[in-house]
């Protein structure tokens, strides 16, 4: 559930800590997806994955930076186990466009 995370985000809305909070949420979201992809190869928790993917997309639009190790693992596990999943591929495409802009550290 993202209820607590959303409540904290609202409290931090006008603070300098919001960006740092979103970066931590993004990292947790990516790690959660990695664990789900690795442990549920049978694709049984699709709704949970979809909500995590939507949250990942939203957080990427705010943060636009990720830990390279988390990113590499997420892409590897996602392509290994969800290469046919339209939701995963859509978010992956958006993430690539956001993260690999010329001014991005990942583009180097």
């Amino acid at each position: 559930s993202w209820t607590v995370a959303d409540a904290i985000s609202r409290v931090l809305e006008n603070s300098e800590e919001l960006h740092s909070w979103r970066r931590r949420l993004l990292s947790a979201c990516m790690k959660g997806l990695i664990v789900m992809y690795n442990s549920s190869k049978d694709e049984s928790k699709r709704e949970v994955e979809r909500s995590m993917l939507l949250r990942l997309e939203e957080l990427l639009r705010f943060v636009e930076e990720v830990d390279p190790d988390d990113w590499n693992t997420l892409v590897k596990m996602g392509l290994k186990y969800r290469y046919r999943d339209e939701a995963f591929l859509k978010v992956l495409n958006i993430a690539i466009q956001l993260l690999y802009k010329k001014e991005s550290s990942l583009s180097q």
Side-chain angles (χ1 to χ4, degrees), residues 63-74:
V63 178
E64 294 187 355
E65 59 184 271
V66 294
D67 176 83
D69 292 333
D70 289 345
W71 172 247
N72 289 335
T73 305
L74 176 66

Side-chain angles (χ1 to χ4, degrees), residues 4 29 32 35 39 42 50 62 78 80 104:
V4 174
C29 187
V35 168
S39 66
D42 63 356
R50 289 195 198 298
F62 287 117
K80 185 173 183 179
S104 169

Side-chain angles (χ1 to χ4, degrees), residues 6-7 17 46 53 59 62 80 82 98-99 104 106:
D6 290 340
E17 298 174 18
R46 299 301 250 170
L53 284 168
L59 289 166
F62 287 117
K80 185 173 183 179
R82 299 297 186 263
L98 290 170
L99 295 173
S104 169
L106 279 179

Side-chain angles (χ1 to χ4, degrees), residues 4 15 19 21 25 28 39 43 45 49 72 79 90 100:
V4 174
S15 109
H19 186 72
W21 170 247
L25 281 178
S39 66
E43 305 176 14
K45 298 183 179 183
E49 287 179 19
N72 289 335
L79 290 174
K90 177 184 173 229
Y100 289 91

Side-chain angles (χ1 to χ4, degrees):
S1 172
W2 288 91
T3 307
V4 174
D6 290 340
I8 293 170
S9 295
R10 281 191 297 277
V11 169
L12 295 175
E13 195 164 317
N14 295 321
S15 109
E16 295 176 8
E17 298 174 18
L18 182 60
H19 186 72
S20 176
W21 170 247
R22 285 179 173 159
R23 273 196 359 244
R24 283 187 235 125
L25 281 178
L26 178 62
S27 178
C29 187
M30 289 174 54
K31 288 176 182 172
L33 282 167
I34 291 166
V35 168
M36 277 190 260
Y37 291 158
N38 195 31
S39 66
S40 66
K41 298 168 184 90
D42 63 356
E43 305 176 14
S44 63
K45 298 183 179 183
R46 299 301 250 170
E47 284 308 309
V48 175
E49 287 179 19
R50 289 195 198 298
S51 72
M52 291 285 279
L53 284 168
L54 291 173
R55 188 59 66 136
L56 177 70
E57 179 183 344
E58 176 186 328
L59 289 166
L60 280 169
R61 291 184 189 282
F62 287 117
V63 178
E64 294 187 355
E65 59 184 271
V66 294
D67 176 83
D69 292 333
D70 289 345
W71 172 247
N72 289 335
T73 305
L74 176 66
V75 171
K76 179 181 174 183
M77 300 306 284
L79 290 174
K80 185 173 183 179
Y81 297 113
R82 299 297 186 263
Y83 63 93
R84 293 183 182 187
D85 181 39
E86 185 178 335
F88 169 74
L89 294 173
K90 177 184 173 229
V91 172
L92 179 62
N93 184 36
I94 290 167
I96 288 170
Q97 290 175 24
L98 290 170
L99 295 173
Y100 289 91
K101 294 187 285 192
K102 286 185 180 181
E103 59 271 8
S104 169
S105 61
L106 279 179
S107 67
Q108 299 166 357

